[in-house]
């Protein structure tokens, strides 16, 4: 039981249910105190000890049903259907009794375990052989529905189903030579054929169950991955709602990585040379370990977001990332622009993050968002009013497509910003092939950027945020 419980715990973890070691120990303690015969009580006990969040209950219930029940009953049902398909008047007990008597007087050689299980229609033995074949075929590595047939065939080969069928045909020939009635032989042949078909169906069901266990959220994960790579230009309202949740999860994940990395940085990197020198008095045995300490300062961030319709979604999700991770920065200042430029940092202090983003993308009562883009005018406003806030610790992030409607780009403003800042990063939703064509002035700003990358979907944006922080 303990081994099965460990397997079930690993399955839950694989499905995204976070089960700690302490919770696993609680589960062991619970099943020691409860009767295992009461299935509902057993299920509730494990759920109480292993599941912490309400949104994980559905996953737990589904995996519990898949893991702790089902296949033996399915196998018995398949064998029952095989016997139910026999002609009217067929007497199984009489046939098996006659078969048993004849086999006692025959030398049938060494029948394989599978042939014996098929002949005896033993569900326990067949279940054990199927599970063993599943382990040997590594069916736990199944990833999608297209692999069901492949793994089912591998399991049948591991069981040597064809070999067992050959053994049973030879046995029937021996029974004929021993004088078994032809009608009984025909009934036995039909029965064995039906049982073999039932086992083949059971093997496929076993594979499908394994797919459900190992990849129960395959479709959901596939949709999530597709959404990550969907262009910002093609997002629907429903996509936007779902992506908010995805960004929240990605930000939380990134935050955990940053926390772990900074813990390692505080401890420092192992210094082999200094350790050896310091331990010379001990004959070179490293009793005292030395770590190199290198303090890494949190970046200071200034974000300039183009909120025109073609770029609004990039700005929306970048702002959500940044303000979900604002603990990772010394200071964050946010500006929005189309032609005019205005600061919206106060919105994020006064409102909940999603409300603040919606207000910022609507101009934040500081600019008119319903006008034609003019990057030159916006950068000149920033240069005139806020250049003094930039220092050598500041990273400036510009989000925009650099479509300037043939206005003066005033690239010298960006040059002065670049000369004062630590880094200038430009996030552009257009592909590099379009930069500098038509009314794009991206080529004018490129010399004054340290990083300029295309960002058309959330996957690319997440990668950029990762580089910015780590």
């Amino acid at each position: 039981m303990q081994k099965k419980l460990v397997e079930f715990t690993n399955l839950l973890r694989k499905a995204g249910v976070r089960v700690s070691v302490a919770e696993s120990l609680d589960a062991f303690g619970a099943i020691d105190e409860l009767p295992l015969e009461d299935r509902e009580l057993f299920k509730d006990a494990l759920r109480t000890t292993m599941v912490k969040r309400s949104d994980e209950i559905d996953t737990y219930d589904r995996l519990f049903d898949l893991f702790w029940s089902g296949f033996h009953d399915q196998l018995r049902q398949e064998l029952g259907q095989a016997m139910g398909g026999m002609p009217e008047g067929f007497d199984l007990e009489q046939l098996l009794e006659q078969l048993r008597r004849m086999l006692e007087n025959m030398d049938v050689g060494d029948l394989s375990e599978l042939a014996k299980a098929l002949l005896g229609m033993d569900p326990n033995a067949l279940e054990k052989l199927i599970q063993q074949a599943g382990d040997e075929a590594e069916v736990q590595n199944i990833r999608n529905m297209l692999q069901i047939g492949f793994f089912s065939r591998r399991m049948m080969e591991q069981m040597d189903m064809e070999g067992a069928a050959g053994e049973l045909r030879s046995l029937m020939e021996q029974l004929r030579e021993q004088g078994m009635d032809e009608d009984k032989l025909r009934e036995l042949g039909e029965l064995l054929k039906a049982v073999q078909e039932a086992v083949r169906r059971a093997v496929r069901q076993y594979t499908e169950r394994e797919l459900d266990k190992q990849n129960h959220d395959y479709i959901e994960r596939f949709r999530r991955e597709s959404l990550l790579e969907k262009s910002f230009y093609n997002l629907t309202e429903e996509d936007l709602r779902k992506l908010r949740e995805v960004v929240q999860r990605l930000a939380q994940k990134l935050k955990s990585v940053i926390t772990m990395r900074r813990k390692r940085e505080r401890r420092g990197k192992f210094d082999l040379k200094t350790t050896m020198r310091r331990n010379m008095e001990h004959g070179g045995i490293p009793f005292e370990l030395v770590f190199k300490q290198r303090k890494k300062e949190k970046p200071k961030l200034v974000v300039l977001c183009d909120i025109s319709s073609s770029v609004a979604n990039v700005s929306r999700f970048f702002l959500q990332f940044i303000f979900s991770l604002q603990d990772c920065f010394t200071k964050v200042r946010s500006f929005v622009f189309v032609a005019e430029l205005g600061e919206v940092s106060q919105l994020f202090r006064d409102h909940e993050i999603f409300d603040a983003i919606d207000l910022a993308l609507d101009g934040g009562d500081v600019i008119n968002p319903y006008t034609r883009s003019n990057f030159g005018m916006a950068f000149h406003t920033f240069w005139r009013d806020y250049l003094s806030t930039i220092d050598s610790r500041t990273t400036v992030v510009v989000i925009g497509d650099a479509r300037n409607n043939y206005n003066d780009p005033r690239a010298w403003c960006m040059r002065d910003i670049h000369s004062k800042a630590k880094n200038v990063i430009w996030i552009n939703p257009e592909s590099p092939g379009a930069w500098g064509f038509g009314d794009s002035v991206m080529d004018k700003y490129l010399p004054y950027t340290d990083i300029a990358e295309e960002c058309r979907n959330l996957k690319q944006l997440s990668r950029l945020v990762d580089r910015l922080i780590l």
Side-chain angles (χ1 to χ4, degrees):
M1 174 54 75
Q2 289 184 348
K3 184 181 175 186
K4 293 285 287 182
L5 198 54
V6 170
E7 287 178 18
F8 182 57
T9 305
N10 290 335
L11 193 62
L12 289 173
R13 287 172 178 157
K14 190 174 180 182
V17 179
R18 286 175 290 179
V19 184
S20 67
V21 175
E23 287 160 352
S24 300
L25 294 174
D26 287 344
F28 281 120
I31 61 173
D32 284 342
E33 300 295 330
L34 297 171
L36 299 181
E37 297 77 19
D38 190 333
R39 177 186 166 84
E40 286 305 313
L41 190 59
F42 177 62
K43 183 177 181 179
D44 290 344
L46 293 189
R47 182 166 52 200
T48 304
T49 52
M50 292 179 159
V51 179
K52 297 182 287 293
R53 293 165 42 182
S54 59
D55 60 348
E56 293 172 343
I57 290 177
D58 288 343
T59 303
Y60 169 84
D61 287 346
R62 182 167 171 74
L63 288 176
F64 182 93
D65 292 338
L66 279 169
F67 188 82
W68 293 102
S69 62
F71 182 64
H72 184 77
D73 295 336
Q74 277 185 325
L75 182 58
R76 290 183 71 89
Q77 188 178 358
E78 288 294 341
L79 292 175
Q81 285 180 0
M83 287 180 274
M86 295 301 290
E88 192 175 348
F90 170 72
D91 189 335
L92 177 64
E93 294 298 327
Q94 184 184 20
L95 177 65
L96 291 179
E97 179 58 26
Q98 183 180 1
L99 184 61
R100 187 185 61 77
R101 286 199 304 272
M102 293 188 73
L103 289 177
E104 284 177 353
N105 301 319
M106 290 171 57
D107 179 14
V108 295
D110 294 328
L111 283 178
S112 65
E113 291 296 319
L114 179 58
K116 289 177 186 174
L118 291 170
L119 199 58
M121 285 166 281
D122 182 350
N124 294 327
L126 286 170
E127 182 183 7
K128 185 178 176 184
L129 289 168
I130 290 172
Q131 288 176 342
Q132 188 178 338
D135 291 341
E136 290 169 354
E138 298 180 338
V139 71
Q140 70 274 11
N141 293 330
I142 190 168
R143 291 291 176 268
N144 59 60
M145 295 177 67
L146 298 177
Q147 295 176 313
I148 290 176
F150 169 74
F151 278 102
S152 298
R153 281 194 300 278
R154 284 189 67 178
M155 287 177 63
M156 300 291 283
E157 289 168 4
Q158 292 293 338
M159 293 169 71
D160 194 15
M161 196 71 177
E162 292 301 319
E167 291 176 39
L168 293 175
R169 283 194 296 272
S170 301
L171 177 65
M172 289 185 64
E173 287 300 321
Q174 292 183 48
L175 289 170
R176 179 176 284 109
E177 292 169 3
Q178 291 295 319
M180 190 173 187
D181 183 71
E182 282 297 327
D183 289 340
K184 293 293 181 188
L185 271 175
R186 181 176 49 75
E187 286 181 349
L188 179 61
E190 289 179 5
L191 179 62
L192 290 175
K193 188 176 177 183
V195 170
Q196 289 171 52
E197 283 303 315
V199 171
R200 286 192 177 90
R201 288 195 298 273
V203 167
R204 187 174 179 86
Q205 287 167 1
Y206 183 88
T207 311
E208 290 171 347
R209 289 172 61 85
E210 199 62 31
L211 175 64
D212 267 355
K213 278 164 57 180
Q214 303 295 340
N215 303 278
H216 79 103
D217 60 344
Y218 169 73
I219 299 297
E220 185 58 33
R221 280 192 287 117
F222 177 75
R223 285 178 183 156
R224 201 159 55 228
E225 288 295 322
S226 302
L227 199 56
L228 286 177
E229 296 182 10
K230 190 170 183 178
S231 170
F232 286 127
Y233 290 118
N234 302 323
L235 294 178
T236 63
E237 286 297 320
E238 179 66 12
D239 292 336
L240 287 174
R241 188 187 63 75
K242 288 180 178 175
L243 277 178
R244 278 184 174 186
E245 299 168 8
V246 173
V247 169
Q248 204 68 21
R249 283 198 295 272
L250 286 174
Q252 190 59 44
K253 190 175 174 183
L254 198 52
K255 205 169 185 176
S256 302
V257 172
I258 294 165
T259 304
M260 289 175 63
R261 187 166 293 190
R262 286 190 173 154
K263 276 184 183 175
R264 284 199 296 269
E265 284 174 355
R266 277 198 292 274
R267 191 183 64 177
K269 190 177 177 184
F270 179 60
D271 188 340
L272 177 62
K273 290 181 180 176
T274 310
T275 298
M276 294 303 291
R277 278 199 299 273
R278 192 166 295 180
N279 287 279
M280 289 297 287
E281 59 184 283
H282 306 302
I285 300 171
F287 286 110
E288 187 181 351
L289 302 181
V290 181
F291 294 87
K292 287 180 183 174
Q293 299 286 340
R294 193 181 67 170
K295 189 175 179 182
K296 188 175 180 181
E297 293 181 343
K298 293 181 181 179
K300 189 175 163 186
L301 200 63
V302 169
V303 186
L304 307 180
C305 293
D306 178 5
I307 58 170
S308 59
S309 57
S310 58
V311 193
N313 283 333
V314 189
S315 299
R316 176 190 300 279
F317 292 116
F318 185 81
L319 287 172
Q320 188 184 341
F321 260 125
I322 294 305
F323 282 94
S324 299
L325 298 168
Q326 57 183 323
D327 292 346
C328 304
F329 303 98
T330 305
K331 188 174 183 181
V332 180
R333 295 188 70 174
S334 304
F335 298 83
V336 292
F337 68 90
V338 177
E340 301 169 310
L341 178 138
E343 183 170 6
V344 291
S345 305
Q346 189 62 37
L347 290 176
F348 290 91
R349 290 190 279 272
D350 297 342
H351 298 82
E352 191 269 334
I353 183 169
F354 295 118
D355 293 337
I357 290 172
D358 287 341
L359 288 169
L361 295 182
D362 199 33
D365 291 332
V366 291
I367 67 164
N368 173 19
Y370 307 106
T371 184
R372 293 166 67 84
S373 295
N374 187 337
F375 282 71
M377 179 178 172
F379 291 157
H380 183 259
T381 304
F382 184 84
W383 175 87
R384 184 189 65 208
D385 299 338
Y386 301 101
L387 186 63
S388 59
T389 65
I390 305 294
D391 59 30
S392 59
R393 292 174 53 204
T394 307
T395 295
V396 178
V397 179
V398 182
I399 303 170
D401 58 6
R403 292 283 167 190
N404 201 38
N405 292 305
Y406 301 101
N407 295 304
D408 181 359
R410 304 191 194 189
W412 57 269
C413 294
M414 186 56 68
R415 180 199 62 203
D416 290 356
I417 295 170
H418 180 253
S419 65
K420 290 194 72 179
K422 178 182 178 184
N423 289 308
V424 174
I425 298 172
W426 193 299
I427 299 173
N428 194 324
E430 292 190 346
S431 69
W435 296 355
F437 283 90
D439 62 344
S440 171
V441 289
M442 190 65 199
D443 56 327
K444 302 288 189 300
Y445 297 129
L446 267 179
Y448 311 118
T449 60
D450 297 285
I451 299 173
E453 289 200 6
E454 173 193 5
C455 182
R456 297 172 63 86
N457 55 49
L458 194 59
K459 197 169 187 176
Q460 292 173 329
L461 184 61
S462 169
R463 199 159 48 231
L464 271 170
V465 173
D466 186 89
R467 285 175 59 186
L468 177 65
I469 297 173
L470 302 179

